[in-house]
Amino acid sequence: MNSLKTSVFGAVAAAALISASAAPASATECGTDDKITIAEMTWLSASTLAHVTQKILADGYGCNAEVVPGDTVPTATSMLTKGEPTIAPEMWVSTAQAIWDKMMDKGNVYKAGDIFGSGGQEGWWIPDYTAKEHPEIKSINDLKDNWELFADVANPDKGRLYGCPPGWGCEIITNNLFKALNLGETYELFSPGSGANLKASIARQVTRKKPMVAYYWGPTAVIGKYNLVRLDMPEHDADKFKCLTDKNCADPQVTGWAVGEVAVAATTELKEKAPNVAEFLSKMQVPNDDISKVLAWGDENKASPAETAAYFLKNNEAIWTAWVPEDVAAKVKESL
C-alpha cells in the first residue's frame, strides 16, 4: 500500500514538475537569478540611464540588478574579456570601435538597440532665440555672411565661433571645418580652453540673451538647459570627414558629422537566460530632446544620477512604459 502511494505521489509530482518546466515564463519575470550588473558611466546621461535600467529590472521584473562603475573603454574591454558588466545602456560605439568590433566577432556581446532616437549629435549650435530672430541662419553655410551678428566686444571686426576644447577629438575637426568654410575671413575661432569653460561661455551668452555659435554635442544637459538649436550640415561624407580628422588635412572639404551610434549593449548570455529582459532592452530608446531636458533638470538641481533617473521615470511615463508590459510598468510606478 505504502509502495503504491509512493508510486502515485511520485508520478503526480513528476507530472507537475514537467508541467511547470514546460510552462512559458511570465512576461514579467526576470528569467534569471544571476546578478545583472549595469555600467554607470561617468557622464550624466549614461549614469542616469544606468539607474533607469536598474530600477526597471529590480522593481519591475524582480531581477537581482546592480549599478557598477564604468567608462567607455574599460567597460567595453571588460565586456569583451570577462562578460562583465552585463549591460551598458549608453555605449558610444565609435569611441571604442576596435573593441566593439572584437565583441561582435566574438559574439559574447550584442547590440540590443539604439538608446537615442536621433543618435549622438555633434555640430555647431545657436540659441533658440537667435534662430527665431534670424531665420536666415539655418545652416553652417549661412554663418559667413552673417558674421556681424556673432561679433564679440573684444574683437568687433569679426564674429566669434566658440570651438571645441583643446585636446578633444572634435578640435581638429572643427578647425578643419572652419578652414573649409573660409570662415577665417570674417570669424575668429575662439578656443574655450576646456569643456567647463565652453559650458560657462554658453551659459554666459544665453543668460545675456546674446547671439552665439558654438561647438557642442548632444543629448546633454547644456543642449536641454539652454535650448540650443543645431545648425544644418551637409550629409556625412566619409572620405571628406576622414580628412577633417587629420590635423594635416591639405584640402579640407565641407561635410557633416556622422550620426553617432550609441548602443544599448548587453551580453549574449543575458539574452539567452532572460528573454524578457532582452525584450525590454530592445525597446529602450529615449528621444534626444526629452532626455536633454531631463539632464538639464538634473544639472540645475544638482541631482544625483539616481535622483535624475527617478525624475525621468516620474515625468516621462509615455516614453518608458512603452518599453515594458503593463504590469511591469505598474510595479515600477508603485515603487517611485
Side-chain angles (χ1 to χ4, degrees), residues 206-290:
V206 172
T207 300
R208 297 171 178 171
K209 290 290 182 184
K210 297 287 187 181
M212 175 215 63
V213 56
Y215 163 85
Y216 221 79
W217 72 98
T220 54
V222 167
I223 299 297
K225 185 175 183 178
Y226 301 118
N227 299 311
L228 301 187
V229 178
R230 187 172 179 265
L231 293 173
D232 291 341
M233 303 191 80
E235 285 191 19
H236 176 72
D237 181 300
D239 290 335
K240 291 180 180 177
F241 195 80
K242 184 178 180 180
C243 194
L244 292 185
T245 64
D246 181 357
K247 66 179 181 181
N248 297 316
C249 178
D251 183 24
Q253 302 291 312
V254 179
T255 183
W257 267 270
V259 176
E261 182 181 5
V262 190
V264 180
T267 62
T268 307
E269 183 180 12
L270 175 67
K271 183 180 182 180
E272 294 167 347
K273 285 185 175 180
N276 296 335
V277 172
E279 177 73 10
F280 149 57
L281 294 177
S282 73
K283 297 177 180 176
M284 188 178 176
Q285 186 176 86
V286 290
N288 290 43
D289 289 346
D290 292 277

